[in-house]
Coordinates of all heavy atoms in Angstrom, one line a residue:
M66 N 38.1 106.6 105.8 CA 38.5 107.8 105.1 C 40.0 107.8 104.8 O 40.5 108.1 103.7 CB 38.2 109.0 106.0 CG 38.4 110.3 105.3 SD 37.3 110.5 103.8 CE 38.1 111.9 103.0
K67 N 40.8 107.3 105.8 CA 42.2 107.2 105.6 C 42.6 106.3 104.4 O 43.5 106.6 103.6 CB 42.9 106.6 106.9 CG 44.3 106.9 107.0 CD 44.8 106.4 108.4 CE 46.3 106.4 108.5 NZ 46.7 105.8 109.8
Y68 N 41.8 105.2 104.3 CA 42.0 104.2 103.2 C 41.7 104.8 101.8 O 42.4 104.5 100.8 CB 41.2 103.0 103.4 CG 41.7 102.1 104.6 CD1 41.0 102.0 105.7 CD2 43.0 101.5 104.5 CE1 41.5 101.3 106.8 CE2 43.4 100.8 105.6 CZ 42.7 100.7 106.7 OH 43.2 100.0 107.8
L69 N 40.7 105.7 101.8 CA 40.3 106.4 100.6 C 41.5 107.3 100.1 O 41.8 107.3 98.9 CB 39.1 107.3 100.8 CG 37.8 106.6 100.4 CD1 36.6 107.6 100.7 CD2 37.7 106.3 99.0
I70 N 42.2 108.0 101.0 CA 43.3 108.8 100.6 C 44.4 108.0 100.0 O 45.0 108.3 99.0 CB 43.8 109.7 101.8 CG1 42.7 110.7 102.2 CG2 45.1 110.4 101.5 CD1 42.8 111.3 103.6
V71 N 44.7 106.8 100.7 CA 45.8 105.9 100.3 C 45.4 105.4 98.9 O 46.3 105.4 98.0 CB 46.0 104.8 101.3 CG1 46.9 103.7 100.7 CG2 46.5 105.3 102.6
L72 N 44.2 105.0 98.7 CA 43.7 104.5 97.4 C 43.9 105.6 96.3 O 44.3 105.3 95.2 CB 42.2 104.1 97.5 CG 41.7 103.3 96.3 CD1 42.3 102.0 96.1 CD2 40.2 103.2 96.4
A73 N 43.5 106.8 96.6 CA 43.6 107.9 95.7 C 45.1 108.1 95.3 O 45.4 108.3 94.1 CB 43.0 109.2 96.3
V74 N 46.0 108.0 96.3 CA 47.4 108.2 96.0 C 47.9 107.1 95.1 O 48.7 107.4 94.1 CB 48.2 108.3 97.3 CG1 49.7 108.2 97.1 CG2 47.9 109.6 98.1
V75 N 47.5 105.9 95.4 CA 47.9 104.7 94.5 C 47.4 104.9 93.1 O 48.1 104.7 92.1 CB 47.4 103.4 95.2 CG1 47.6 102.2 94.2 CG2 48.2 103.2 96.5
V76 N 46.2 105.3 93.0 CA 45.6 105.5 91.6 C 46.3 106.5 90.8 O 46.7 106.4 89.7 CB 44.1 105.8 91.7 CG1 43.5 106.3 90.4 CG2 43.3 104.6 92.2
V77 N 46.6 107.7 91.5 CA 47.4 108.7 90.9 C 48.8 108.3 90.5 O 49.3 108.5 89.4 CB 47.4 110.0 91.8 CG1 48.4 111.0 91.2 CG2 46.0 110.6 91.9
A78 N 49.4 107.5 91.4 CA 50.8 107.0 91.1 C 50.7 106.1 89.9 O 51.6 106.2 89.0 CB 51.3 106.3 92.3
I79 N 49.8 105.2 89.8 CA 49.7 104.3 88.6 C 49.4 105.1 87.4 O 50.0 104.8 86.3 CB 48.5 103.3 88.9 CG1 49.0 102.3 90.0 CG2 48.2 102.5 87.6 CD1 47.9 101.4 90.5
W80 N 48.6 106.1 87.5 CA 48.2 106.9 86.3 C 49.5 107.7 85.8 O 49.8 107.7 84.6 CB 47.1 107.9 86.7 CG 46.7 108.8 85.5 CD1 45.9 108.5 84.5 CD2 47.1 110.2 85.3 NE1 45.8 109.5 83.6 CE2 46.5 110.6 84.1 CE3 47.9 111.1 86.0 CZ2 46.6 111.9 83.6 CZ3 48.1 112.4 85.5 CH2 47.4 112.7 84.3
V81 N 50.3 108.3 86.7 CA 51.5 109.0 86.3 C 52.5 108.0 85.7 O 53.1 108.3 84.7 CB 52.1 109.7 87.6 CG1 53.5 110.2 87.3 CG2 51.2 110.8 88.0
W82 N 52.6 106.8 86.3 CA 53.5 105.8 85.8 C 53.1 105.4 84.4 O 54.0 105.3 83.5 CB 53.5 104.6 86.7 CG 54.3 103.4 86.3 CD1 55.7 103.4 86.3 CD2 53.9 102.2 85.9 NE1 56.1 102.2 85.8 CE2 55.0 101.4 85.6 CE3 52.6 101.6 85.7 CZ2 55.0 100.1 85.1 CZ3 52.6 100.3 85.3 CH2 53.7 99.5 85.0
R83 N 51.8 105.2 84.1 CA 51.4 104.8 82.8 C 51.6 105.9 81.8 O 51.9 105.7 80.6 CB 49.9 104.4 82.8 CG 49.7 103.1 83.5 CD 48.2 102.6 83.5 NE 47.7 102.6 82.1 CZ 46.6 102.0 81.8 NH1 45.8 101.5 82.7 NH2 46.2 102.0 80.5
Q84 N 51.4 107.2 82.2 CA 51.6 108.3 81.3 C 53.1 108.4 80.9 O 53.4 108.5 79.7 CB 51.3 109.7 82.0 CG 49.8 109.9 82.2 CD 49.1 110.2 80.9 OE1 48.4 109.4 80.4 NE2 49.4 111.4 80.4
N85 N 54.0 108.1 81.9 CA 55.4 108.1 81.6 C 55.8 107.0 80.6 O 56.6 107.2 79.7 CB 56.2 107.9 82.9 CG 56.3 109.2 83.7 OD1 56.1 110.3 83.2 ND2 56.7 109.1 85.0
R86 N 55.2 105.9 80.8 CA 55.5 104.7 79.9 C 55.0 105.1 78.5 O 55.7 104.7 77.5 CB 54.8 103.5 80.4 CG 55.6 102.7 81.4 CD 54.9 101.5 81.9 NE 54.3 100.8 80.8 CZ 54.5 99.4 80.6 NH1 55.2 98.8 81.5 NH2 53.9 98.8 79.6
R87 N 53.8 105.7 78.4 CA 53.3 106.1 77.0 C 54.2 107.1 76.3 O 54.5 106.9 75.2 CB 51.9 106.6 77.2 CG 51.1 106.4 75.9 CD 49.6 106.9 76.1 NE 49.0 106.2 77.2 CZ 47.9 106.7 77.9 NH1 47.4 107.9 77.6 NH2 47.4 106.0 78.8
E88 N 54.7 108.0 77.1 CA 55.6 109.0 76.5 C 56.9 108.4 76.1 O 57.4 108.7 75.0 CB 55.9 110.1 77.6 CG 54.9 111.2 77.6 CD 55.0 112.1 78.8 OE1 56.2 112.3 79.3 OE2 54.0 112.7 79.3
E89 N 57.4 107.4 76.9 CA 58.7 106.7 76.5 C 58.4 106.0 75.2 O 59.3 106.0 74.3 CB 59.1 105.8 77.6 CG 59.9 106.4 78.7 CD 60.1 105.5 79.9 OE1 60.1 104.3 79.7 OE2 60.2 106.0 81.0
A90 N 57.3 105.3 75.1 CA 57.0 104.5 73.9 C 56.9 105.4 72.6 O 57.4 105.1 71.6 CB 55.7 103.7 74.1
Q91 N 56.3 106.6 72.8 CA 56.2 107.6 71.7 C 57.5 108.1 71.3 O 57.8 108.2 70.1 CB 55.3 108.7 72.1 CG 53.8 108.4 72.0 CD 52.9 109.4 72.6 OE1 53.4 110.4 73.2 NE2 51.6 109.3 72.4
E92 N 58.4 108.4 72.3 CA 59.7 108.9 72.0 C 60.5 107.8 71.2 O 61.2 108.1 70.3 CB 60.5 109.2 73.3 CG 60.1 110.6 73.8 CD 60.6 110.9 75.2 OE1 61.6 110.2 75.6 OE2 60.0 111.7 75.9
R93 N 60.4 106.5 71.7 CA 61.1 105.5 71.0 C 60.6 105.3 69.6 O 61.4 105.1 68.6 CB 60.9 104.1 71.8 CG 62.2 103.5 72.1 CD 62.0 102.2 73.0 NE 61.5 102.6 74.3 CZ 60.6 102.0 75.0 NH1 60.1 100.9 74.5 NH2 60.3 102.3 76.2
A94 N 59.3 105.4 69.4 CA 58.7 105.3 68.0 C 59.2 106.4 67.1 O 59.4 106.2 66.0 CB 57.2 105.2 68.1
A95 N 59.3 107.6 67.7 CA 59.7 108.8 66.9 C 61.2 108.7 66.6 O 61.6 109.2 65.5 CB 59.4 110.0 67.7
A96 N 62.0 108.1 67.5 CA 63.4 108.1 67.3 C 63.8 107.0 66.3 O 64.8 107.1 65.7 CB 64.1 107.8 68.6
R97 N 63.0 106.0 66.1 CA 63.3 104.8 65.3 C 63.7 105.2 63.8 O 64.7 104.8 63.4 CB 62.2 103.7 65.4 CG 62.8 102.4 65.1 CD 61.7 101.3 65.4 NE 61.2 101.3 66.7 CZ 60.0 101.0 67.1 NH1 59.1 100.7 66.1 NH2 59.6 101.0 68.3
P98 N 62.8 105.9 63.1 CA 63.2 106.2 61.7 C 64.5 107.0 61.6 O 65.2 106.8 60.6 CB 62.0 107.1 61.2 CG 60.9 106.9 62.2 CD 61.6 106.5 63.5
R99 N 64.8 107.9 62.6 CA 66.0 108.6 62.5 C 67.2 107.7 62.8 O 68.3 107.9 62.2 CB 66.0 109.8 63.5 CG 65.6 111.1 62.7 CD 65.5 112.2 63.7 NE 64.2 112.1 64.5 CZ 64.1 112.4 65.8 NH1 65.1 112.7 66.5 NH2 62.9 112.3 66.4
A100 N 67.0 106.8 63.8 CA 68.1 106.0 64.2 C 68.6 105.0 63.1 O 69.7 104.6 63.0 CB 67.8 105.2 65.5
V101 N 67.6 104.5 62.3 CA 67.9 103.5 61.3 C 67.5 104.0 59.9 O 66.4 103.8 59.5 CB 67.1 102.2 61.6 CG1 67.6 101.1 60.7 CG2 67.3 101.7 63.0
P102 N 68.4 104.8 59.3 CA 68.1 105.3 58.0 C 68.1 104.2 56.9 O 67.3 104.2 56.0 CB 69.2 106.4 57.7 CG 70.2 106.2 58.7 CD 69.7 105.2 59.8
G103 N 69.0 103.3 57.1 CA 69.1 102.2 56.2 C 69.7 102.6 54.8 O 69.6 103.7 54.4
P104 N 70.2 101.6 54.1 CA 70.8 101.9 52.8 C 69.6 102.1 51.8 O 68.6 101.4 51.8 CB 71.6 100.7 52.4 CG 71.0 99.6 53.2 CD 70.4 100.2 54.4
Q105 N 69.7 103.1 51.0 CA 68.6 103.4 50.1 C 68.8 102.7 48.7 O 69.9 102.7 48.2 CB 68.6 104.9 49.8 CG 67.2 105.4 49.4 CD 67.1 107.0 49.5 OE1 68.1 107.6 49.3 NE2 66.0 107.5 49.9
A106 N 67.8 102.0 48.3 CA 67.8 101.3 47.1 C 67.9 102.3 45.9 O 67.1 103.2 45.8 CB 66.6 100.4 46.9
M107 N 68.8 102.1 45.0 CA 69.0 102.9 43.8 C 68.5 102.2 42.6 O 68.8 101.0 42.4 CB 70.4 103.4 43.7 CG 70.9 104.2 44.9 SD 70.1 105.8 45.1 CE 70.9 106.8 43.9
L108 N 67.9 102.9 41.7 CA 67.4 102.3 40.4 C 68.0 103.1 39.3 O 68.4 104.3 39.5 CB 65.9 102.3 40.3 CG 65.1 101.4 41.3 CD1 63.6 101.6 41.2 CD2 65.4 99.9 41.0
R109 N 68.1 102.5 38.1 CA 68.7 103.2 37.0 C 67.5 103.5 36.0 O 66.7 102.6 35.7 CB 69.7 102.2 36.3 CG 70.6 102.9 35.3 CD 71.6 101.9 34.9 NE 72.3 102.4 33.6 CZ 71.8 102.2 32.4 NH1 70.7 101.5 32.2 NH2 72.5 102.7 31.4
C110 N 67.5 104.7 35.5 CA 66.5 105.0 34.5 C 66.8 104.3 33.2 O 67.9 104.3 32.7 CB 66.5 106.5 34.3 SG 65.4 107.1 33.0
A111 N 65.7 103.6 32.7 CA 65.9 102.8 31.5 C 66.1 103.6 30.3 O 66.4 103.1 29.2 CB 64.7 101.8 31.4
H112 N 65.8 104.9 30.4 CA 65.9 105.8 29.2 C 67.2 106.5 29.2 O 67.9 106.5 28.2 CB 64.7 106.8 29.2 CG 64.7 107.6 27.9 ND1 64.4 107.1 26.7 CD2 65.0 108.9 27.8 CE1 64.5 108.1 25.8 NE2 64.8 109.2 26.4
C113 N 67.5 107.3 30.2 CA 68.8 108.1 30.2 C 69.9 107.5 31.1 O 71.0 108.0 31.0 CB 68.4 109.5 30.7 SG 68.0 109.6 32.4
G114 N 69.6 106.5 31.9 CA 70.7 105.8 32.6 C 71.0 106.5 33.9 O 72.0 106.0 34.6
V115 N 70.3 107.5 34.3 CA 70.7 108.2 35.6 C 70.2 107.3 36.8 O 69.2 106.6 36.6 CB 70.0 109.6 35.6 CG1 68.5 109.5 36.0 CG2 70.7 110.5 36.6
H116 N 71.0 107.3 37.8 CA 70.6 106.6 39.0 C 69.8 107.5 40.0 O 70.1 108.6 40.2 CB 71.9 106.1 39.7 CG 72.5 104.9 39.0 ND1 73.3 105.1 37.9 CD2 72.4 103.6 39.2 CE1 73.7 103.9 37.5 NE2 73.1 103.0 38.2
L117 N 68.7 106.9 40.5 CA 67.9 107.7 41.4 C 67.3 106.7 42.5 O 67.3 105.5 42.3 CB 66.7 108.3 40.6 CG 65.7 107.4 40.0 CD1 64.4 108.1 39.9 CD2 66.2 106.9 38.6
P118 N 66.9 107.3 43.6 CA 66.4 106.5 44.7 C 65.1 105.8 44.2 O 64.3 106.4 43.5 CB 66.0 107.5 45.8 CG 66.8 108.7 45.5 CD 67.0 108.8 44.0
A119 N 64.9 104.6 44.7 CA 63.7 103.8 44.3 C 62.4 104.5 44.6 O 61.5 104.4 43.9 CB 63.8 102.4 45.0
A120 N 62.4 105.3 45.7 CA 61.2 106.0 46.1 C 60.8 107.1 45.0 O 59.6 107.4 44.9 CB 61.4 106.7 47.4
D121 N 61.8 107.6 44.3 CA 61.5 108.7 43.3 C 61.3 108.1 41.9 O 61.0 108.8 41.0 CB 62.7 109.7 43.3 CG 62.8 110.4 44.6 OD1 61.8 110.4 45.4 OD2 63.9 110.9 44.9
A122 N 61.5 106.8 41.7 CA 61.4 106.2 40.4 C 60.0 106.1 39.9 O 59.1 105.9 40.7 CB 62.1 104.8 40.4
V123 N 59.8 106.1 38.6 CA 58.5 105.9 38.0 C 58.6 104.5 37.3 O 59.4 104.3 36.5 CB 58.2 107.0 36.9 CG1 56.9 106.8 36.2 CG2 58.3 108.4 37.5
A124 N 57.7 103.7 37.8 CA 57.7 102.3 37.3 C 57.1 102.2 35.9 O 56.0 102.8 35.7 CB 57.0 101.4 38.2
G125 N 57.7 101.5 35.0 CA 57.2 101.3 33.6 C 57.2 99.9 33.3 O 57.6 99.0 34.1
R126 N 56.7 99.5 32.1 CA 56.6 98.1 31.7 C 58.0 97.6 31.5 O 58.3 96.4 31.7 CB 55.8 98.0 30.4 CG 54.3 98.1 30.5 CD 53.6 97.8 29.2 NE 54.1 98.8 28.2 CZ 53.3 99.7 27.7 NH1 52.1 99.8 28.0 NH2 53.8 100.5 26.8
Q127 N 59.0 98.4 31.0 CA 60.3 97.9 30.7 C 61.3 98.2 31.7 O 62.5 98.1 31.5 CB 60.7 98.4 29.3 CG 60.0 97.8 28.2 CD 60.0 98.7 26.9 OE1 61.0 99.2 26.6 NE2 58.9 98.7 26.2
G128 N 60.9 98.7 32.9 CA 61.8 99.0 33.9 C 61.4 100.3 34.7 O 60.3 100.7 34.6
S129 N 62.4 100.9 35.3 CA 62.1 102.1 36.1 C 62.7 103.3 35.4 O 63.7 103.2 34.7 CB 62.7 102.0 37.5 OG 62.2 100.9 38.1
Y130 N 62.0 104.4 35.6 CA 62.4 105.7 34.9 C 62.6 106.8 35.9 O 62.0 106.7 37.0 CB 61.4 106.0 33.8 CG 61.3 105.0 32.7 CD1 60.4 103.9 32.9 CD2 62.1 105.1 31.6 CE1 60.3 103.0 31.9 CE2 62.0 104.1 30.6 CZ 61.1 103.0 30.8 OH 61.0 102.1 29.8
C131 N 63.4 107.8 35.5 CA 63.6 108.9 36.5 C 62.4 109.9 36.5 O 62.3 110.6 37.4 CB 64.9 109.7 36.1 SG 64.8 110.5 34.5
S132 N 61.6 109.9 35.4 CA 60.5 110.8 35.4 C 59.4 110.3 34.5 O 59.6 109.3 33.7 CB 60.9 112.2 34.8 OG 61.4 112.0 33.5
E133 N 58.2 110.9 34.6 CA 57.1 110.5 33.7 C 57.4 110.7 32.2 O 57.1 109.9 31.4 CB 55.9 111.3 34.2 CG 54.6 110.8 33.5 CD 54.2 109.4 33.8 OE1 54.4 108.9 34.9 OE2 53.6 108.8 32.9
T134 N 58.2 111.7 32.0 CA 58.6 112.0 30.6 C 59.4 110.9 30.0 O 59.2 110.5 28.9 CB 59.4 113.4 30.5 OG1 58.7 114.3 31.3 CG2 59.6 113.8 29.1
H135 N 60.4 110.5 30.8 CA 61.3 109.4 30.3 C 60.6 108.1 30.2 O 60.9 107.2 29.3 CB 62.5 109.3 31.2 CG 63.6 110.4 30.8 ND1 64.8 110.4 31.4 CD2 63.5 111.4 29.9 CE1 65.4 111.5 30.9 NE2 64.7 112.1 30.0
R136 N 59.6 107.9 31.0 CA 58.8 106.6 30.9 C 58.1 106.6 29.6 O 58.0 105.6 28.9 CB 57.8 106.5 32.1 CG 57.1 105.2 32.2 CD 55.9 105.2 33.2 NE 54.9 106.1 32.8 CZ 53.9 105.8 31.9 NH1 53.9 104.6 31.3 NH2 53.0 106.7 31.6
R137 N 57.5 107.8 29.2 CA 56.8 107.9 28.0 C 57.7 107.7 26.8 O 57.4 107.0 25.9 CB 56.0 109.2 27.9 CG 54.6 109.1 27.6 CD 53.8 110.4 27.6 NE 54.0 111.1 28.8 CZ 54.4 112.5 28.9 NH1 54.6 113.1 27.8 NH2 54.5 113.0 30.1
L138 N 58.9 108.4 26.9 CA 59.9 108.3 25.8 C 60.4 106.9 25.7 O 60.7 106.4 24.6 CB 61.0 109.3 26.0 CG 60.6 110.8 25.8 CD1 61.8 111.7 26.4 CD2 60.4 111.1 24.4
G139 N 60.6 106.2 26.8 CA 61.2 104.9 26.8 C 60.3 103.8 26.3 O 60.8 102.8 25.9
E140 N 59.0 104.0 26.4 CA 58.1 103.0 26.1 C 57.3 103.2 24.8 O 56.4 102.5 24.5 CB 57.1 102.8 27.3 CG 57.8 102.3 28.5 CD 56.8 101.9 29.6 OE1 55.7 102.3 29.5 OE2 57.3 101.3 30.6
T141 N 57.7 104.2 24.1 CA 57.1 104.5 22.8 C 58.1 104.3 21.6 O 59.3 104.3 21.9 CB 56.5 105.9 22.7 OG1 57.4 106.8 23.1 CG2 55.2 106.0 23.5
Ligands
ZN115 ZN1 65.7 109.3 32.7

């Protein structure tokens, strides 16, 4: 019976330790995007020449555009 109690304590201790490790990993994963923002790639609209982040650009046959309207105007 004594060994059962010791075993239970060890199992709980391992479980708590693993929970803590998982939380730490989640915190690290959540902190990563904020810690490393990185330089943002800028593109130039092929129609009006405005500079915009690559994520907001509209890709066209002749380059990148600031909006769907300029893509249409630039390619017709
Ligand atoms: Zn434009």
Side-chain angles (χ1 to χ4, degrees):
M66 190 60 195
K67 203 174 165 186
Y68 291 109
L69 263 179
I70 292 163
V71 171
L72 187 70
V74 167
V75 168
V76 167
V77 168
I79 289 169
W80 181 77
V81 168
W82 178 69
R83 287 183 59 170
Q84 288 288 108
N85 283 342
R86 275 178 46 127
R87 205 175 302 157
E88 277 169 27
E89 277 171 27
Q91 280 172 352
E92 277 167 28
R93 232 174 293 142
R97 208 173 297 144
R99 259 176 287 140
V101 187
Q105 207 165 32
M107 297 296 278
L108 291 174
R109 190 174 169 275
C110 176
H112 184 71
C113 67
V115 78
H116 286 82
L117 66 151
D121 297 338
V123 178
R126 281 187 304 249
Q127 288 159 40
S129 299
Y130 298 89
C131 64
S132 63
E133 187 62 35
T134 311
H135 280 185
R136 187 188 67 80
R137 234 178 301 132
L138 289 170
E140 294 189 346
T141 48

